[in-house]
Amino acid sequence: MDYKSEIINALKQIFPESDLAGAEESITVTPEGKAGDYAFPCFRLSKTLKTAPNAIAAAGAERFAGLKAGGGLIKAVDADGGYLNFTLYREAFSAAVVNEIMSAGEGFGGSDEGKGRTVCIDYSSVNIAKPFHMGHLYNTALGGSLYRIFKKLGYSVVGINHLGDYGTQFGNLITAYKKWGSEAELNKDGIHALLKWYVRFHQESEKDEGLNEEGRAWFRRIEAKDPEALRIFNLFKEITLIEVRGVYDELGVQFDSWDGESFFTDKIPAVVKELRGKDLLVTSEGAEVVDLESYKLPPALILKKDGASLYITRDLAAAEYRKKTYDFHKCLYVVAYQQNLHFKQLFAVLELMGKEWYKDCVHVAYGMVSMPEGAMSTRKGQVVFLKDVLKLAAEKTEATIKQKNPDYHGDGSLARQIGTGAVIYSVLQSSKIKDIVFDYDKVLNFEGETGPYVMYTHARACSVLSKAGYKPVKTAKISETAARHISGGEAFALIKRLNRYPAVVAAAAQELEPSLITRHITDIAQDFNKFYFAEKIITDNAEETQARLMLTDAVRQVLKEGMRLILLQAPERM
C-alpha cells in the first residue's frame, strides 16, 4: 500500500505552491501517543513558504478540511506543532496490505528494478591452504545476503569466490610439507595439517632465513608449472575446497565463479602493457608504480623489482575481465575495512586508465569479528574454525531445546538450523562497519534481538495457523468490513510494519546493508508477539478469527522470506 504517494498527493493539493520533490523520505510513523498514523515535518517547507513550521501545519490541517484532499485513504489531517499528522482509513489500509501480501506470497518485497542489469559480488574469497575461521564469517554472510537481496530485486547476480591461490606463501607451505609433513598426514588431518605446517614454517623461518629462500624457489616452480610443485599445490587446493564447501553448504551460500588470483596471472601482461601505453607507469626504487599524488594517495605498486605482480595488479586484470565477461551494472568487493587504501588505489588507477565504469566498482567495507579472548591470527595458529563454532552452536541449541522440552527427540537437524541461523544473525544484525565480539550465550538466547527469537516467532505463527486448521489460499481476500478486526491497537502497528518491508528490502540493496532487513524482521517479530499476547487470535467470531489468521499468515510469509534474505532458515516447529 503506497501510503506515501497518497500523502504526497494530499500535500500537493494543500500546498500547490511548494516544491515537494523528495518529500516522501520525510514521512515517518507518528510517535506513540500522538494523533494520526503518519507524520510529515513542515520544517522543509519553511524556506519556500517563508512561514514558521507550526503555522504551516495549522494552515495545512485547515486547508485539508476544506479541500477534502487525499482520496479514499486519508481520513483526517491534524496539526501537531510543526508536523502534519495523517490519519488513514485504517480498514482500507489494513485490507490492502494483507491482501497484497497474500497475493504476492514469497514475492512480496521484490521488484523488477534490476531487470537487464548484472551485479557482480566478490565475497568470502578464502585462501587456499588456510582454515575457514570465524574471521571469514562476516564477509561470507554479508556477501551471501547481498546476493539474495539483489536477486529479489530482479538483478542478474554473479557470486564470485576470488580464491587466494597465488603467492609465495604456497612455496613456503610446500617447503614445510617436504620437511615436516607427509601425504598420509595430509589425507588424515586435512586443513588442520596445513595450518600446523604453515604455523611451524613461520616459527622456524624466524630462526633460519634459508627457509624463506626455499619457499621462494618452490613458488617459482609453481609459476613455471613444474609438475611436482603443481601436484602438491593442487592437493592443497583440493583439501581446502572440500573443507570450505562443507561450510558454505551449512551457511546456505552459493557462488557462480571460483576464479582465483591464479586465473588472472596470464591476463596481467595486457594490463601492464596498457598502463605503459598510457604513460601511467613510473619507476621508483627499481619497482614500477602508478603515481596517485593527485588523489592524495600513496603510489600504487604494480610490479616489484623482480617483475613480480601484486594484489592490485591481479585485481586490475580481474576488474577488466569481469567488465568484459559480465558487463556489470555494479561490481561489489566485500572486503574488510583494513583494505580501504587498496581499493581507493585500485579505483583511482582504473579511472586514470580511462575506464568510465570505475564508478560502478564499490568497496563494501565491513568490521571485524573477534572472540572474547581477542583477535585471530593464522600465522600464530590463533584461529577458531567456523565449522567448530557451528557445531558447538548446534550442540548448545540442542541442549536448550531438551531443557525446555524434555520429551523432545530430534535428529539434530532443528538444532543445526537454529544454531547456524543464530551465528549468521549475530553478524548481520548490526551496521556492517561495526566490529563484533562473538559471544555464544548472547547469540543463542531465545529472548531479545537474536536469531532464535525471530525463528521462534515464525514457528509460533505456524503453530497458531496449524491449531486453527488454517489453509493459506493465494486468492483469498479480506474485506474492509472484516479488516476492522485488525485495524486497531497492536494489530494495526503490526500491519504498518509489514507494509514497510518492501521499502526496507530496496533500502538494504541501495545502502548495501542487510542489517536493515535483520532489524526490520526483528521488529515485525516483536510486534507480532505483542499482538499475540494482547489480542486473542482464535475467537468465537468467525469473521474476526479469519481476519486475524490472515494477518498471522502474512507475518509468517514476511518473516520466512525476510529470514531467507539474511541466510536464515525458518523452522515451523521449535
Side-chain angles (χ1 to χ4, degrees):
M1 169 56 67
D2 191 3
Y3 65 90
K4 288 190 176 183
S5 292
E6 294 279 352
I7 291 173
I8 293 300
N9 287 336
L11 287 170
K12 285 178 179 177
Q13 294 179 64
I14 296 170
F15 303 116
E17 69 275 35
S18 295
D19 178 11
L20 292 164
E24 294 94 336
E25 301 306 316
S26 302
I27 299 170
T28 60
V29 176
T30 305
E32 192 171 344
K34 297 284 188 178
D37 301 308
Y38 293 98
F40 174 78
C42 295
F43 306 93
R44 59 174 294 131
L45 302 180
S46 292
K47 189 172 181 180
T48 53
L49 297 179
K50 296 181 171 49
T51 310
N54 58 342
I56 295 172
E62 187 176 338
R63 289 185 188 182
F64 178 86
L67 293 170
K68 300 293 184 187
L73 183 61
I74 299 173
K75 183 178 183 180
V77 177
D78 298 292
D80 180 20
Y83 289 82
L84 275 176
N85 292 348
F86 291 78
T87 299
L88 307 181
Y89 282 106
R90 292 186 170 189
E91 292 81 0
F93 183 82
S94 298
V97 172
V98 172
N99 288 338
E100 184 179 355
I101 296 172
M102 297 302 295
S103 174
E106 65 183 22
F108 182 67
S111 75
D112 61 357
E113 75 166 57
K115 187 176 181 180
R117 294 174 172 177
T118 297
V119 173
C120 292
I121 308 179
D122 179 336
Y123 68 105
S124 196
S125 303
V126 293
N127 292 315
I128 295 302
K130 290 186 181 179
F132 198 131
H133 58 69
M134 275 297 290
H136 296 117
L137 174 62
Y138 213 157
N139 179 317
T140 305
L142 180 57
S145 179
L146 288 172
Y147 185 100
R148 294 187 179 189
I149 291 168
F150 278 101
K151 280 256 188 188
K152 178 83 172 176
L153 297 176
Y155 290 87
S156 173
V157 186
V158 181
I160 300 171
N161 198 329
H162 187 66
L163 298 172
D165 61 356
Y166 193 82
T168 310
Q169 67 269 29
F170 299 111
N172 296 344
L173 192 56
I174 291 177
T175 300
Y177 168 74
K178 286 287 188 179
K179 286 185 176 295
W180 309 302
S182 68
E183 194 160 328
E185 187 179 359
L186 179 60
N187 289 330
K188 177 176 176 287
D189 296 334
I191 200 81
H192 294 275
L194 292 173
L195 175 61
K196 181 176 72 175
W197 300 331
Y198 182 82
V199 172
R200 184 169 180 182
F201 179 90
H202 284 283
Q203 291 172 340
E204 299 289 341
S205 64
E206 290 179 2
K207 297 175 283 186
D208 181 2
E209 176 57 33
L211 286 173
N212 289 314
E213 182 50 45
E214 287 187 54
R216 286 190 285 270
W218 271 109
F219 179 58
R220 286 193 291 271
R221 289 176 66 175
I222 293 175
E223 290 187 296
K225 302 193 184 306
D226 172 81
E228 174 67 0
L230 286 179
R231 183 189 72 79
I232 298 172
F233 173 66
N234 285 330
L235 188 59
F236 293 168
K237 189 170 183 176
E238 182 182 342
I239 291 289
T240 307
L241 291 180
I242 289 172
E243 174 81 13
V244 301
R245 280 191 165 117
V247 178
Y248 290 139
D249 287 344
E250 188 76 18
L251 297 175
V253 167
Q254 66 190 84
F255 298 94
D256 305 292
S257 167
W258 294 77
D259 293 333
E261 289 184 77
S262 62
F263 177 81
F264 299 101
T265 55
D266 64 351
K267 300 166 182 59
I268 287 173
V271 172
V272 174
K273 182 179 178 181
E274 185 176 353
L275 288 168
R276 283 207 180 99
K278 293 179 177 177
D279 294 324
L280 292 173
L281 284 182
V282 295
T283 302
S284 175
E285 299 179 6
E288 294 194 74
V289 306
V290 175
D291 183 3
L292 298 177
E293 188 177 353
S294 61
Y295 293 85
K296 297 182 179 179
L297 295 171
L301 180 57
I302 303 299
L303 296 174
K304 294 194 284 190
K305 288 181 183 180
D306 60 2
S309 64
L310 292 101
Y311 286 122
I312 194 167
T313 329
R314 298 188 284 276
D315 275 354
L316 287 167
E320 289 259 31
Y321 174 84
R322 291 169 188 174
K323 185 61 182 178
K324 288 176 183 175
T325 305
Y326 305 114
D327 190 24
F328 56 73
H329 168 69
K330 293 288 181 186
C331 185
L332 310 180
Y333 296 83
V334 184
V335 182
Y337 62 69
Q338 284 88 340
Q339 297 300 319
N340 283 351
L341 174 60
H342 170 81
F343 285 102
K344 286 179 182 177
Q345 291 177 311
L346 174 65
F347 302 155
V349 174
L350 287 172
E351 183 180 10
L352 289 172
M353 293 174 74
K355 312 297 180 183
E356 285 296 318
W357 44 267
Y358 83 91
K359 299 187 293 293
D360 303 323
C361 296
V362 181
H363 176 206
V364 184
Y366 61 89
M368 300 299 290
V369 177
S370 62
M371 305 301 284
E373 53 269 27
M376 287 167 276
S377 168
T378 309
R379 286 192 176 194
K380 296 178 182 179
Q382 297 170 347
V383 295
V384 178
F385 284 74
L386 181 55
K387 184 170 70 173
D388 294 339
V389 170
L390 297 178
K391 182 173 181 290
L392 183 56
E395 290 171 354
K396 284 179 171 285
T397 301
E398 184 87 353
T400 301
I401 293 173
K402 288 180 177 178
Q403 182 184 4
K404 292 177 178 290
N405 304 280
D407 297 330
Y408 169 79
H409 298 287
D411 60 1
S413 58
L414 176 60
R416 286 195 299 276
Q417 281 185 30
I418 298 170
T420 298
V423 172
I424 294 170
Y425 182 101
S426 71
V427 297
L428 293 183
Q429 72 178 126
S430 302
S431 171
K432 61 181 178 287
I433 206 62
K434 291 182 70 173
D435 291 336
I436 295 169
V437 177
F438 183 86
D439 184 307
Y440 281 109
D441 292 334
K442 290 181 181 177
V443 166
L444 298 173
N445 198 329
F446 279 67
E447 303 294 332
E449 298 182 0
T450 65
Y453 173 78
V454 178
M455 287 184 273
Y456 182 75
T457 303
H458 174 269
R460 168 172 278 166
C462 291
S463 175
V464 170
L465 296 171
S466 175
K467 182 180 178 181
Y470 174 88
K471 302 293 182 186
V473 179
K474 203 167 186 180
T475 56
K477 298 287 183 185
I478 184 172
S479 67
E480 289 186 24
T481 302
R484 74 185 187 278
H485 300 293
I486 52 172
S487 296
E490 306 296 351
F492 191 67
L494 176 58
I495 286 171
K496 287 196 290 183
R497 188 86 68 185
L498 291 170
N499 186 64
R500 291 202 296 279
Y501 173 74
V504 170
V505 174
Q510 184 176 355
E511 298 177 31
L512 306 174
E513 190 63 87
S515 67
L516 296 178
I517 295 175
T518 309
R519 291 197 294 267
H520 191 71
I521 62 172
T522 303
D523 289 340
I524 289 173
Q526 290 172 335
D527 284 349
F528 175 75
N529 285 315
K530 290 177 184 176
F531 163 67
Y532 175 85
F533 286 111
E535 302 180 37
K536 197 173 181 182
I537 296 175
I538 302 173
T539 71
D540 294 332
N541 183 310
E543 182 184 71
E544 182 178 45
T545 297
Q546 183 66 9
R548 292 180 177 175
L549 287 173
M550 288 182 73
L551 174 55
T552 300
D553 192 31
V555 170
R556 178 195 64 79
Q557 292 187 59
V558 174
L559 284 181
K560 182 178 181 179
E561 181 61 9
M563 283 192 283
R564 187 189 70 82
L565 293 181
I566 60 167
L567 308 181
L568 271 63
Q569 296 188 57
E572 295 185 2
R573 296 182 63 190
M574 282 177 68

